[in-house]
Amino acid sequence: MEDLNKKPLSLKQYLVVSSLLFALFFGAGNLIFPLHLGQLAGSNWWLAMLGFFCTAVVLPLLSVLAISVTHSKGVYDIGKPLGGAFALVFMVLIHATIGPLFGTPRTATVPFSVGVQPLLPEKYSHLGLLIFSFLFFLAAFLLSYKESSIMKSIGKLLNPVFLLLLFSIFLLGFLHPMGSAANQVATSAYQNGSFFNGFLQGYNTMDALAGLAFGVTVVTAVNQLGKTNPLSNAKVTAKAGLLAEGLVAVIYVVLVWLGATTLNQFKGSADGGTAFNQLMGYYMGNVGHALLATLLTLTCLTTAMGLVAAFAQDFHKHFSFLSYRQWLGLMCLASFMTANFGLDTIIQWSTPMLMFLYPFAMVLILLSVFSPLFKRDSVVYLFVVLFTTVPALMDMVSSFPPVVSQSAFGTAVTNFQQSYLPLASIGMDWVVPAMVGLLVGLTVHFVKSNKQSSRQTVED
């Protein structure tokens, strides 16, 4: 397939695609998790940040490239080499994770915990969250019920204003730092394993999963600019992605550093929402809280609209017994209910699911990007995913809250994992089995290919 537009894209066109990528990836989690990472890593913030970059910057870009390289129309097609049943289950798990179970409820709980909760008496926190999340998801439902060009226009205005406020906080942080990041004590986990713990913290942004779900949006946008050849499309996506993720990376660097500096004034917080509260209160007081709450709520609302609409569209496509609007209503209702467990609980219970899904997402993304080298042979996918499954399940069990992870079953799984699986102590025990699966799968693929070539030569 040739490009409809054979001319190089202009800088303005690249910026259009880059802004789309930035809008897709930068949400509530991208603010709170790097800030919290800085508090956890202390003086080792820079090493933790490098690990965080791998899963929160590089991997999301690769997930979009995977969609482009394989000509996929969504996350379902990424899993299709392993059969329709696997692809459907994988799609449901991805959408449930970035949707009503964890990702979408977070779009309501983050602006509440950062901007609204500090202004309320503690005894009204639960009631405040109930009312706020109800109004938030009611608005998301109504605005997604029928496509609203007004909300898109507001979103184009809000992002620059929000970034302006964010960079003003960064400027205050540089001009009047709370303390020296280099002098802060790292938590025990980050004293020797900062890089790999930062790598695992990057899972919490859920951007690699979002890239699989929304990558088709970016690929379609590039197609509309006339770059319809898969190779040209991938090149444009990569260049635009570097611009978008470059900006995200700059924001991450400053947020992680700021998080480390807050330790000079505050104790390490339980989550990034509290850390952001501390930061805003220190530099801007209640005025900053109110302004940030307004902008963050509206910005997260546009993110929530994209998530609920994508969920409803995909589920209506594959489960058509309910209409788009019915799926939309269920999604908003489920997200509202989950949001009222609170940000801490959502983060606590999302971790096991992310520890399970991310190894699959990473191997499927990498296999998809390099699939032309082995003609997207399903046997390669099969062995890699098969060998990844057991350690991923063990990671999930070990990272559950104590009620599961410290039970007799959870303790037995963790002990086995730590004793027999390489790299288990740093949460990367799936890597070696996945590599073994890759070697087995490629061996089978090339042996099969050679036999077919020999048979073809004999017949000729």
Side-chain angles (χ1 to χ4, degrees), residues 300-414:
C300 285
L301 183 59
T302 60
T303 303
M305 287 170 57
L307 288 169
V308 296
F311 180 96
Q313 287 165 358
D314 266 3
F315 270 64
H316 174 57
K317 179 180 177 181
H318 293 282
F319 306 103
S320 56
F321 56 85
L322 291 181
S323 68
Y324 162 79
R325 289 172 178 174
Q326 288 172 323
W327 278 119
L328 187 71
L330 286 174
M331 167 66 162
C332 290
L333 177 62
S335 299
F336 160 70
M337 294 172 66
T338 306
N340 280 276
F341 285 102
L343 182 60
D344 289 351
T345 303
I346 291 172
I347 292 172
Q348 190 179 37
W349 284 95
S350 66
T351 300
M353 182 60 76
L354 294 175
M355 291 296 289
F356 173 69
L357 276 181
Y358 252 85
F360 290 111
M362 282 188 272
V363 296
L364 287 173
I365 287 168
L366 292 173
L367 286 171
S368 297
V369 170
F370 295 104
S371 61
L373 299 178
F374 54 89
K375 300 178 182 178
R376 214 183 181 197
D377 189 349
S378 60
V379 73
V380 180
Y381 280 79
L382 176 63
F383 279 107
V384 174
V385 170
L386 195 63
F387 278 63
T388 303
T389 300
V390 172
L393 284 168
M394 289 184 174
D395 282 339
M396 179 176 68
V397 172
S398 297
S399 57
F400 268 118
V403 66
V404 176
S405 60
Q406 293 181 14
S407 67
F409 173 71
T411 303
V413 168
T414 302

Side-chain angles (χ1 to χ4, degrees), residues 198-238:
F199 186 96
L200 296 176
Q201 281 290 324
Y203 291 7
N204 286 315
T205 66
M206 303 188 191
D207 280 351
L209 307 185
L212 291 176
F214 299 134
V216 66
T217 305
V218 179
V219 173
T220 302
V222 176
N223 279 334
Q224 290 172 350
L225 294 174
K227 296 302 179 182
T228 48
N229 177 273
L231 182 59
S232 298
N233 191 295
K235 286 181 178 178
V236 170
T237 301

Side-chain angles (χ1 to χ4, degrees), residues 111-372:
F112 176 80
S113 64
V114 170
V116 179
Q117 189 173 358
L119 306 176
L120 296 175
E122 188 175 348
K123 62 180 179 179
Y124 293 123
S125 293
H126 293 298
L127 178 61
L129 178 59
L130 183 71
I131 295 171
F132 180 88
S133 58
F134 174 78
L135 294 175
F136 183 92
F137 286 113
L138 178 62
F141 174 77
L142 294 175
L143 291 167
S144 305
Y145 192 77
K146 190 174 183 180
E147 189 173 355
S148 171
S149 58
I150 296 175
M151 199 62 199
K152 287 184 179 179
S153 301
I154 293 174
K156 290 178 182 177
L157 174 65
L158 286 174
N159 276 337
V161 174
F162 175 72
L163 286 174
L164 184 63
L165 175 63
L166 190 62
F167 279 102
S168 69
I169 298 168
F170 290 172
L171 182 61
L172 288 171
F174 279 115
L175 294 176
H176 305 285
M178 295 187 195
S180 172
N183 295 331
Q184 308 308 320
V185 178
T187 57
S188 58
Y190 286 80
Q191 288 176 3
N192 297 310
S194 295
F195 178 86
F196 288 107
N197 278 294
F199 186 96
L200 296 176
Q201 281 290 324
Y203 291 7
N204 286 315
T205 66
M206 303 188 191
D207 280 351
L209 307 185
L212 291 176
F214 299 134
V216 66
T217 305
V218 179
V219 173
T220 302
V222 176
N223 279 334
Q224 290 172 350
L225 294 174
K227 296 302 179 182
T228 48
N229 177 273
L231 182 59
S232 298
N233 191 295
K235 286 181 178 178
V236 170
T237 301
K239 290 178 181 178
L242 286 174
L243 286 173
E245 292 294 341
L247 176 58
V248 172
V250 169
I251 293 173
Y252 283 160
V253 171
V254 182
L255 284 172
V256 175
W257 172 79
L258 275 176
T261 65
T262 62
L263 294 173
N264 196 57
Q265 297 289 333
F266 305 100
K267 292 182 179 180
S269 58
D271 61 79
T274 303
F276 219 101
N277 268 332
Q278 295 168 343
L279 186 70
M280 289 303 299
Y282 183 86
Y283 284 116
M284 303 185 76
N286 286 338
V287 174
H289 279 305
L291 183 58
L292 185 68
T294 303
L295 288 175
L296 193 57
T297 299
L298 293 173
T299 303
C300 285
L301 183 59
T302 60
T303 303
M305 287 170 57
L307 288 169
V308 296
F311 180 96
Q313 287 165 358
D314 266 3
F315 270 64
H316 174 57
K317 179 180 177 181
H318 293 282
F319 306 103
S320 56
F321 56 85
L322 291 181
S323 68
Y324 162 79
R325 289 172 178 174
Q326 288 172 323
W327 278 119
L328 187 71
L330 286 174
M331 167 66 162
C332 290
L333 177 62
S335 299
F336 160 70
M337 294 172 66
T338 306
N340 280 276
F341 285 102
L343 182 60
D344 289 351
T345 303
I346 291 172
I347 292 172
Q348 190 179 37
W349 284 95
S350 66
T351 300
M353 182 60 76
L354 294 175
M355 291 296 289
F356 173 69
L357 276 181
Y358 252 85
F360 290 111
M362 282 188 272
V363 296
L364 287 173
I365 287 168
L366 292 173
L367 286 171
S368 297
V369 170
F370 295 104
S371 61

